[in-house]
Amino acid sequence: MTDDQISETSAAVTPTSDEDELRAFGYQPQLERSMGAWSSFSISISCMCVTAGIFTTFAYSLGMVGPVFVWTWLIVSVGQLLVALVLAELAGRMPISGYAYQWTSRLINSHYGWFVGWAGMMAFIPGFTGLNFGLAPVLLNRLDIEITTTSTLLVVVIVTLTQLAINLAGVRIASRINNAVAFAVEIGLSIILTGILLIVGFVTNPVQDLSFLTTSTVSGNGFFTAILLSGLLAMWVLTGFEGAADLAEETKLATRHVPKAVLRSLVFAIVVGFLMIVGLTINIDDLTNTIGADVPVAHVLEAALGSTGAAVFESAAIIALYAGGLANMAAASRLMFSLSRDNMLPASSMLKKVSPHTKSPSAALLVIAMMSLALVLVGSYGSSQAMALIVGMAALGYYAVYGLTVAAVLIASRNGSLPARTDFDLGRYAGPVRVAALLWTLFVIGCLTIPGLNRRTALMAAAFFVIAGVWYAAVLRNRIRNDQAGVPQIRPSEGGTLR
């Protein structure tokens, strides 16, 4: 029996529990609730997209400081586990599309929630844009087509439009694709190929020893900054695990399945991802040539596994990149739908529409795709480091969401306004975990904004928030004050609780 079948069997006992829970938060069910435990896990796996994310940013991190960057993965992993524990607890207490926007609006108020939701948009849109942008050179290299700005842009446009078409067809089709990719590629091939890389690198054809993993290409005063910048790989790849929470309204028994999906997907990504970057790094025969290659990961794979092995690994990465973009586009559209449902965005009446046939937020999907393509154009022709800029914006958006959400939980906990506990609860460890998670997110935000090389990312993110601030000051603040926008305020007599 599959996880989806288990969910269906359990749901048959209490057929309206999920819908009644959603109504208690002030919303009528609109989206199709067809996802089970496995689908929920798969969405988070695809949103993180470990294999694809490593292909995308491995070269950047390696080039920053050399092989020693692999250890930043473990440091980031500890911090992200702290964040995931806090978010998993919230996902069980408030299973609503729009995740952090909904959570913080109910824990603090809709004024605060607006900026959290906007930060989420800055995470998801550049997030799937970065995956599609990373797919292009890998695909072009495999097809032996020259990698240029124009050819890269053309691939990204085609990929984005096909992902849009699949998402418009409905979550049932998109989730089946994610299920298949998560099982076959992210869990199956990634483990097998990572194992092969480790065997080749340490047993059958070692070209380096373990000490290679502690070597650096930077010394002196520049090492500390370089090692912080090299952590971008882990800081970006180990985000998106909360994707399952953003599709909670389409998940059966969401209070049970979504928290588990959030944590299990992150633990899986930590273990497999670390072994993968170690396997890739230990197989580098010539560091200078690898850093200078058009696609450094492909260069490593060719040397370690030969052309056939490299082709298999690259094909797996291409599929994973595509599915990751598909999942992140879906998550971004649900966040936009959630904001529009509460009249928080311009043209909300249009953006909140759900197709009566596919039950997908079609208008939000179209706008999300157009915003992604605009970002690609700006990045492609406006910056020589477009990939790092887009990935940096996504990572900064994610950590802004994490920090603002954890801060809201701490405030609500002090005020005694946290929603009732569910099956997943941190108990007596809740306070220390939340404080540590907040400190961690502040540290990462500093890493992503303070170093000189990240100033452009910081300026782009600042401009993004200036837009949010202008809209809020000019229109949204009054809308919320006049009860024309914001999350519904449910009274106890209406079956819910006052938030």
Side-chain angles (χ1 to χ4, degrees), residues 205-260:
N205 186 34
V207 293
Q208 306 288 351
D209 56 29
L210 274 174
S211 64
F212 184 66
L213 299 178
T214 64
T215 58
S216 169
T217 55
V218 179
S219 59
N221 295 332
F223 177 79
F224 182 71
T225 299
I227 195 73
L228 290 180
L229 291 170
S230 73
L232 178 62
L233 187 153
M235 290 174 185
W236 182 52
V237 174
L238 295 179
T239 56
F241 49 82
E242 72 278 16
D246 201 22
L247 277 76
E249 288 181 32
E250 293 153 273
T251 305
K252 302 167 186 175
L253 301 175
T255 56
R256 182 186 309 172
H257 293 323
V258 173
K260 292 177 181 178

Side-chain angles (χ1 to χ4, degrees), residues 399 403 435-450:
Y399 286 93
V435 171
L438 179 60
L439 293 175
W440 164 249
T441 57
L442 292 175
F443 170 74
V444 175
I445 289 171
C447 293
L448 294 171
T449 55
I450 295 174

Side-chain angles (χ1 to χ4, degrees), residues 79 82-83 86 112 399-411 414 430-446:
L82 294 170
V83 174
V86 178
Y112 186 94
Y399 286 93
V401 170
Y402 298 154
L404 290 168
T405 302
V406 175
V409 173
L410 287 168
I411 294 170
R414 180 183 298 175
V433 168
R434 292 164 186 165
V435 171
L438 179 60
L439 293 175
W440 164 249
T441 57
L442 292 175
F443 170 74
V444 175
I445 289 171

Side-chain angles (χ1 to χ4, degrees), residues 124-136 139 152-169 321-330 332 364-377 380 390:
F124 280 127
I125 296 174
F128 82 81
T129 302
L131 290 172
N132 291 345
F133 209 85
L135 185 155
L139 179 60
T152 298
L153 182 61
L154 182 61
V155 170
V156 173
V157 170
I158 293 172
V159 167
T160 302
L161 293 179
T162 58
Q163 290 167 339
L164 172 63
I166 292 171
N167 273 305
L168 286 172
L321 279 161
Y322 187 87
L326 184 71
N328 276 276
M329 180 185 284
L365 279 164
L366 287 167
V367 172
I368 289 293
M370 294 306 103
M371 291 176 71
S372 172
L373 293 178
L375 184 59
V376 169
L377 282 171
S380 297
I390 292 171

Side-chain angles (χ1 to χ4, degrees), residues 129-369:
T129 302
L131 290 172
N132 291 345
F133 209 85
L135 185 155
V138 180
L139 179 60
L140 291 169
N141 183 71
R142 179 45 46 194
L143 297 176
D144 200 24
I145 298 174
E146 184 181 2
I147 301 172
T148 64
T149 300
T150 302
S151 62
T152 298
L153 182 61
L154 182 61
V155 170
V156 173
V157 170
I158 293 172
V159 167
T160 302
L161 293 179
T162 58
Q163 290 167 339
L164 172 63
I166 292 171
N167 273 305
L168 286 172
V171 72
R172 190 182 295 269
I173 294 174
S175 66
R176 285 176 179 171
I177 293 173
N178 276 309
N179 288 352
V181 172
F183 182 78
V185 177
E186 288 290 353
I187 295 178
L189 276 176
S190 66
I191 292 175
I192 293 170
L193 292 171
T194 297
I196 292 172
L197 277 174
L198 292 171
I199 291 171
V200 171
F202 287 106
V203 181
T204 62
N205 186 34
V207 293
Q208 306 288 351
D209 56 29
L210 274 174
S211 64
F212 184 66
L213 299 178
T214 64
T215 58
S216 169
T217 55
V218 179
S219 59
N221 295 332
F223 177 79
F224 182 71
T225 299
I227 195 73
L228 290 180
L229 291 170
S230 73
L232 178 62
L233 187 153
M235 290 174 185
W236 182 52
V237 174
L238 295 179
T239 56
F241 49 82
E242 72 278 16
D246 201 22
L247 277 76
E249 288 181 32
E250 293 153 273
T251 305
K252 302 167 186 175
L253 301 175
T255 56
R256 182 186 309 172
H257 293 323
V258 173
K260 292 177 181 178
V262 168
L263 290 172
R264 288 172 178 171
S265 61
L266 179 59
V267 171
F268 174 84
I270 288 170
V271 175
V272 174
F274 179 68
L275 294 176
M276 188 180 294
I277 61 173
V278 168
L280 286 168
T281 306
I282 204 69
N283 278 287
I284 295 175
D285 55 353
D286 187 301
L287 186 58
T288 302
N289 288 341
T290 299
I291 293 174
D294 287 337
V295 183
V297 174
H299 179 83
V300 174
L301 294 174
E302 288 276 358
L305 307 179
S307 57
T308 302
V312 172
F313 210 127
E314 287 180 53
S315 298
I318 289 169
I319 295 170
L321 279 161
Y322 187 87
L326 184 71
N328 276 276
M329 180 185 284
S333 68
R334 270 54 176 186
L335 177 55
M336 180 172 281
F337 163 77
S338 184
L339 286 162
S340 302
R341 181 171 57 180
D342 292 339
N343 201 28
M344 301 287 281
L345 290 172
S348 286
S349 59
M350 178 194 71
L351 294 173
K352 69 180 180 181
K353 290 182 178 179
V354 174
S355 168
H357 303 293
T358 64
K359 301 297 182 182
S360 64
S362 50
L365 279 164
L366 287 167
V367 172
I368 289 293

